[in-house]
Amino acid sequence: MDFNTLCIHGAENNTHSTGAISVPIYQSATFAHPGVGQSSGYDYSRLQNPTREYLEKCVAALERGVDALAFSTGMAAITAFMELFSIGDHIIASGDLYGGTVRLFENISRKNGLTFDFVDTSDIEGVKALIRLETKAIFVETPTNPMMQVTDIKAVAELAKAHNLLVAVDNTFLTPFYQLPLTLGADIVIHSGTKYLSGHNDTLAGFLVTNREDLSEKLRYIYKTTGACLSPFDSWLLIRGIKTLSLRMERQQENALKIAEWLTTQEKVRKVFYIGLKNHPGYEISTRQATGFGSMISFEVDTESTAKQILEGIQVILYAESLGGVETLITYPMLQTHADVPEEERLSRGINNCLLRMSVGIENVDDLIADLKQALQ
């Protein structure tokens, strides 16, 4: 089935007989038993809810997985993933990660006895050099947030399988519309469903998707035990958002490429990080493993005052955290997404006081460029 059709009809709606086109919101915490030792298939919404089940089946189909688990947030999904590991286990992770993920690994997971090495995962030899007896997984973000580094997922997966390691890929930026990590050898795909899957900046959600039955069973146990499941109403919002995923992604990418090219011509802009530009170091890998480039742009301006001038001068674009919605948002990573990353570490990654990150929406691209132009002047 074509991806566009999957977005609309990704799972069979067999939970009701009314003929309703929109999946019902089963706003129920619990479900009655038909008899002793009998179940309708639903017992308690922490275990499963009909609305959430439909969403999970849809996301699993989009990612080519056997199971998807919908969480209350993207960070809740990553937290549950970390419960697969035990004290003393070692994980290799992309060096340029979303700040919230770094905060979780450094302040919660380390406290729980896990160890980490952060490395540029586009450097396969560098990753290989860090593997040791205690290593259990490689955690990849590609493209990374906010420096847009690209990792060869297939190469990492081949290395991991040779050492019996799990591979988890955060696919938030490209979504299954542009990138399918499970088909490239990954074991688990992670999403902040808050972003492109929802697409409207109106709810929080997270996903773990796997194509392995054994991992599905383990994750389902963790899921029901820790309990950070997505509510029925929020599940419905995600179902509604996914219906327009492909349309939004196409328009957002079209806008992003035009804006990225325009930014490269601006005197006050020093660097533009967009994987759809042919001079991006990850361009070739991107064209090989993905069908598109997405709509995330980071760019470095000449001075801190220019960065603040843009943030305070924009009129159409919104200065706000998050990404992936229909509205174009601009973020100041050093004060927002990566504020908790130690300054020395942050600067070593290029996240300085001149760096801005933009999530391009579906507005008229000429209006967006005009807004950036007036803010730069």
Side-chain angles (χ1 to χ4, degrees):
M1 191 180 291
D2 180 79
F3 189 91
N4 295 278
T5 307
L6 280 174
C7 286
I8 306 297
H9 305 288
E12 183 183 357
N13 185 7
N14 59 2
T15 60
H16 65 101
S17 57
T18 65
I21 299 301
S22 179
V23 177
I25 302 170
Y26 288 85
Q27 194 63 48
S28 181
T30 190
F31 301 85
H33 295 282
V36 177
Q38 299 178 39
S39 171
S40 65
Y42 306 99
D43 300 310
Y44 191 62
S45 275
R46 173 160 47 82
L47 306 180
Q48 191 52 285
N49 175 282
T51 313
R52 189 170 76 242
E53 182 180 47
Y54 179 93
L55 169 64
E56 291 177 339
K57 287 181 177 179
C58 182
V59 172
L62 293 176
E63 282 285 3
R64 307 296 191 267
V66 299
D67 195 14
L69 294 80
F71 291 82
S72 55
T73 67
M75 290 311 304
I78 298 174
T79 299
F81 168 69
M82 300 311 293
E83 292 299 327
L84 289 171
F85 307 105
S86 303
I87 293 174
D89 285 351
H90 171 246
I91 296 165
I92 299 168
S94 296
D96 179 44
L97 285 178
Y98 165 57
T101 306
V102 175
R103 181 173 60 237
L104 173 70
F105 289 176
E106 293 284 27
N107 297 291
I108 305 298
S109 300
R110 282 194 191 275
K111 172 183 68 67
N112 293 339
L114 303 183
T115 62
F116 295 85
D117 273 310
F118 296 92
V119 65
D120 179 358
T121 46
S122 67
D123 176 8
I124 299 301
E125 290 304 314
V127 175
K128 186 176 181 180
L130 293 172
I131 295 174
R132 56 182 194 251
L133 185 62
E134 299 82 14
T135 306
K136 301 299 179 184
I138 303 174
F139 186 100
V140 174
E141 203 175 76
T142 183
T144 59
N145 183 1
M147 302 309 294
M148 309 302 161
Q149 296 169 358
V150 176
T151 294
D152 186 331
I153 298 171
K154 188 175 181 180
V156 169
E158 289 173 352
L159 174 65
K161 282 175 173 49
H163 292 83
N164 197 30
L165 310 178
L166 289 178
V167 175
V169 177
D170 189 323
N171 199 29
T172 298
F173 276 15
L174 291 186
T175 82
F177 182 62
Y178 285 135
Q179 183 169 263
L180 293 167
L182 295 179
T183 67
L184 297 168
D187 300 291
I188 292 175
V189 167
I190 295 163
H191 280 282
S192 172
T194 308
K195 312 306 192 295
Y196 291 100
L197 296 184
S198 169
H200 293 81
N201 290 318
D202 56 9
T203 191
L204 303 177
F207 292 92
L208 294 179
V209 190
T210 183
N211 56 0
R212 287 175 45 178
E213 295 285 357
D214 61 328
L215 286 177
S216 169
E217 185 177 347
K218 290 177 182 178
L219 290 169
R220 282 283 168 194
Y221 184 83
I222 292 167
Y223 188 57
K224 74 175 184 180
T225 304
T226 55
C229 57
L230 192 62
S231 74
F233 182 67
D234 288 332
S235 295
W236 182 83
L237 287 174
L238 266 291
I239 293 167
R240 185 177 66 166
I242 286 172
K243 289 182 185 296
T244 59
L245 175 62
S246 57
L247 300 175
R248 290 184 282 104
M249 294 296 289
E250 286 176 343
R251 176 61 176 268
Q252 287 168 292
Q253 176 176 267
E254 179 185 342
N255 284 353
L257 181 57
K258 290 178 181 178
I259 291 171
E261 290 173 342
W262 179 82
L263 284 169
T264 63
T265 68
Q266 300 308 296
E267 185 179 346
K268 291 184 178 181
V269 177
R270 288 177 177 170
K271 300 176 183 176
V272 179
F273 305 92
Y274 178 62
I275 64 171
L277 293 176
K278 291 184 178 180
N279 63 355
H280 188 284
Y283 181 82
E284 276 192 35
I285 295 173
S286 294
T287 57
R288 199 163 63 235
Q289 71 183 13
T291 57
F293 307 107
S295 58
M296 294 301 300
I297 304 170
S298 290
F299 61 100
E300 185 180 317
V301 294
D302 55 353
T303 65
E304 180 179 359
S305 62
T306 297
K308 292 180 177 178
Q309 177 185 322
I310 293 171
L311 295 172
E312 295 174 356
I314 47 176
Q315 298 171 1
V316 177
I317 299 168
L318 302 171
Y319 172 26
E321 284 196 61
S322 200
L323 57 101
V326 294
E327 301 90 355
T328 298
L329 305 181
I330 195 163
T331 299
Y332 202 15
M334 66 167 287
L335 292 182
Q336 294 175 292
T337 58
H338 290 70
D340 289 340
V341 177
E343 183 178 12
E344 184 178 348
E345 185 178 339
R346 179 164 45 76
L347 291 175
S348 70
R349 298 182 190 176
I351 307 171
N352 55 41
N353 57 11
C354 298
L355 185 76
L356 299 172
R357 190 198 72 185
M358 182 160 48
S359 168
V360 180
I362 66 171
E363 303 95 335
N364 179 281
V365 70
D366 293 333
D367 290 336
L368 297 175
I369 290 175
D371 194 29
L372 287 169
K373 185 176 182 180
Q374 65 82 26
L376 272 166
Q377 289 176 345

